[in-house]
Amino acid sequence: MQRRQSSKTPKQPLQVHYKNQADLSAWRKGGIIHPEKSVQNDQSPNDQRNDSKQNSLEQALGYFEKVQDRVSLKDNVLQKHLTAVESIAIQRGLPPEGFDILLNVALSGKLADAVNTRLLKSLIPASVIPETSVVSSVSWLCVSKCSGNIQLLFLRWLITMFDFIDHKEKLYALYGFFFSFLQDEKMCPYVCHLLYLLTRKESVKPFRIRRLLDLQAKMGMQSHLQALLSLYKLFCPDLVTITLPGKMKAYFKSSEGPWKAAIIRLRRRNQENFPLSQPLFLGTARPQSRKRKWNTQLIIPASSTNKNNLEDNREKNCVLYSANECFPVEQLQTFSQLLQNIHHLEFPSQMGSVLTNPLLLHYMNCIKDESIYLRLYYWMGRTLQEECTWCVADNKQYEELFKDFLETVYNTECFLQEGFLSCEEFLYKSLPLWDGFCCRSQILRLLSWIPVSSFSEMKSHLYDPLAQLFFTSSLYFKCSVLESLKELLQNWLNWHVIHLDSEPDSQVHRLNTTLSGLVNAVAELIHFVGWISTVALRLESNPTFLLYFILNFYETVCDMYLRYNLPLLIMPPAGVFYPALLSMDSVSLNQLCYIMYRYRTNLVAAKENDLSKKKILQFKFSSHTYQEYNQYIIAMVGCLWTSSAFQKDIHPQGLRIDDELLKKTSVQEFKTSFNIVYHPAMMGHAVVFLQQVCPDDTTFNFSLIKGKKWNWYLEYLYAQGLKGLKVFIESSINRVSQGSHSKAGNVEV
């Protein structure tokens, strides 16, 4: 196949002439050299090095453009220009003008495979790759001028650099051409990967489905074929009738090995100099994003053909597109455009661009297109697996970049109010290897969006590795884990409320989780938190800081029936209840009082509903729940009000102690040690109250708090913000009259 010069990109900018120096110098750091500055004698050494590299690149491109016959590998000129291209590509990346020349010479077969391999590995863009260069290079695959290994390397390069290509329209037109290469067994995995990126609904044809099924019958259940068939099935479920796996760990092998490290180094070095398309946010300015390897996928590159016509097309963007047209993603700027063209919008091939575009995220929420989730599942799963800084040894230096990416994933999950399956798989796989320090904040927040799963799966993949880290880490880490698990519980409960009305048959979205499955999963999560909380309080000697996070979790648990309409209530274990009851801090005691008040409200509502039989419940609370609640209430009232906890507490792990043993402690008035006056958490309030009521009494005689002063003391406590104590006393303690209460006060205090 003869090379047609007329069909290529104009070569003028690539010739070594003075007038074209600015074309390549625009690529280098520092911008275009102005003529008046270039004649100055005081040019800095840095500028001189830049000029030298620019000249060497221009000379190398001119050499490779003119080479016609095979050149010996030992040729000094060849080695000189090859080394120049490699060094500049690694240091700065290549300008767009250079790709047409280097791709054509590498695929034309003019040079040895060793040289072609080095050239392809040097094709690292500084900004974007022109689509015309890619299309012209693909034509060389028709004439088989290059070897099979070079063709494979080119496909790997094309897959890796897919998101750097400025345009995709002509590549979409080559879909059938790439599809024809599926017959080559060595190229088939990479061709499937490329087709996966290029597939649109109009790409799915019956003859292509038949071809894939024939290949699967011939080769067996290959992951790359299943990936393409799964995408076809999502677009046209009536054409693909076979059963395919719901999800896989990895559809494709990584293709970016030779270019990965160079791209990351390049992006980090030049992170302030790459052009970005205008960020797409709903009426708010957005800080410029850091340039990281995956951030090239998080930004939708502006099409070169649209740059000059952007102003002309601005009015057209608000016009409804016909049924046969697709609205260009690059032109999507406002929410009104999204609403007007929501049925004509085509998602970008670079799925990472979705994560930072709220308009596209709104589209995902409105249009439940499984093909989008499948693409995102593959892309995100592969990126998380390959960039994990503690799973891949070479990635440790990129920890900050990985943190940024995890932060972006978490923000997207919060926007969608749904966790990603690929993120769940990543956490399950990486938690056993995690040290608890790297990306701690991001990992713990991602844990809060894990979808509901069976207990056996969560126990082995989440609870067990998390418990090992929990018990051996600092107090701060323990509190962070408890906060994350509380968010996980709330997300599960919120999801249940959202889907309760939309799924009357109790079947919930893609996980096929029944109400019983959700109840079991929530119960196991609560039991797990209760267990680790009990152990942590013993390990850390009951610190108030830790107790605060534990009680925060149970503030959600105690209201599950009424607030979230989930037929489940689980009392906190004794190892949590009694440390909170005997806490030295009034905040913890107040929290516990509020929690017990909400438990009572939920249990009473459930009992009344059960007795009235207005609604037949699939689940009924166990009698053990009511029994345990009553035991806790007896202990609390005995401590805080009737001063009889040591005598009446009937819980197996409670405070019941024989009087003879209590007398041996030599504590006077031991019966009143934990009422609302003498309780260690309340004694400070009692002291301040006595100073206000009896300013002349310096003995702090707590026995003075009785009668009317008892009522005044209660009002004082309520005024201090102890609302939990207030609602607990009003709901769980019978105060028949002021007189009877005053009498009780005289006796108890």
Side-chain angles (χ1 to χ4, degrees), residues 425-654:
E425 292 176 358
F426 161 72
L427 291 172
Y428 286 170
K429 182 177 180 180
S430 61
L431 275 181
L433 306 175
W434 186 42
D435 59 4
F437 291 97
C438 181
C439 307
R440 172 188 292 178
S441 175
Q442 292 75 22
I443 292 297
L444 291 180
R445 286 193 289 177
L446 286 175
L447 285 176
S448 65
W449 283 108
I450 291 179
V452 180
S453 302
S454 64
F455 172 68
S456 59
E457 184 177 5
M458 297 198 72
K459 183 180 185 303
S460 59
H461 293 104
L462 176 63
Y463 296 155
D464 289 347
L466 197 59
Q468 293 179 6
L469 286 170
F470 184 85
F471 295 139
T472 57
S473 298
S474 65
L475 174 63
Y476 176 77
F477 181 83
K478 291 181 175 69
C479 296
S480 300
V481 170
L482 290 169
E483 180 68 16
S484 177
L485 294 176
K486 185 198 77 171
E487 294 293 333
L488 175 63
L489 175 62
Q490 286 183 334
N491 288 333
W492 285 0
L493 296 173
N494 288 332
W495 171 86
H496 168 66
V497 171
I498 292 172
H499 290 82
L500 191 63
D501 295 331
S502 60
E503 303 289 346
D505 58 348
S506 299
Q507 284 296 119
V508 292
H509 82 328
R510 292 171 288 134
L511 295 177
N512 293 325
T513 304
T514 61
L515 179 60
S516 61
L518 176 65
V519 169
N520 291 335
V522 170
E524 295 299 341
L525 173 61
I526 296 173
H527 288 311
F528 172 73
V529 173
W531 170 60
I532 62 174
S533 298
T534 300
V535 177
L537 286 172
R538 294 175 182 173
L539 291 174
E540 303 290 345
S541 302
N542 302 327
T544 302
F545 188 60
L546 178 62
L547 193 58
Y548 171 81
F549 285 91
I550 296 173
L551 294 178
N552 266 356
F553 178 85
Y554 281 98
E555 279 191 23
T556 301
V557 175
C558 69
D559 239 354
M560 291 190 301
Y561 179 71
L562 288 179
R563 186 173 181 181
Y564 299 99
N565 205 12
L566 189 73
L568 178 68
L569 278 180
I570 298 177
M571 302 300 299
V576 169
F577 172 80
Y578 284 101
L581 178 60
L582 304 179
S583 172
M584 302 288 288
D585 184 77
S586 61
V587 174
S588 299
L589 183 61
N590 184 66
Q591 269 187 293
L592 179 65
C593 289
Y594 176 78
I595 289 171
M596 296 305 294
Y597 160 72
R598 292 308 303 170
Y599 269 120
R600 181 184 186 279
T601 305
N602 280 256
L603 288 170
V604 168
K607 193 70 173 179
E608 290 176 350
N609 183 73
D610 186 31
L611 293 176
S612 63
K613 298 182 179 180
K614 291 181 179 180
K615 181 179 178 182
I616 300 176
L617 291 177
Q618 181 182 358
F619 299 89
K620 294 185 178 181
F621 295 150
S622 169
S623 59
H624 176 73
T625 303
Y626 292 98
Q627 179 183 358
E628 194 170 19
Y629 169 80
N630 289 331
Q631 291 174 345
Y632 285 162
I633 284 297
I634 292 173
M636 286 190 69
V637 173
C639 272
L640 302 178
W641 197 260
T642 63
S643 302
S644 58
F646 297 122
Q647 291 78 30
K648 294 186 177 181
D649 191 348
I650 58 175
H651 195 281
Q653 302 177 41

Side-chain angles (χ1 to χ4, degrees), residues 28-29 33 37 40-55 91-92:
R28 60 180 186 160
K29 188 176 181 180
I33 297 179
K37 293 183 180 180
Q40 294 179 358
N41 294 327
D42 57 345
Q43 193 176 25
S44 67
N46 204 20
D47 290 337
Q48 293 177 3
R49 287 193 296 270
N50 290 337
D51 289 340
S52 176
K53 291 179 180 179
Q54 177 192 358
N55 293 333
Q91 293 174 9
R92 300 185 171 197

Side-chain angles (χ1 to χ4, degrees), residues 163 293-299 350 352-353 379 382-383:
D163 296 316
K293 176 249 175 182
W294 42 73
N295 206 26
T296 61
Q297 299 170 329
L298 303 181
I299 299 298
Q350 53 270 46
S353 61
W379 173 82
R382 181 171 61 91
T383 304

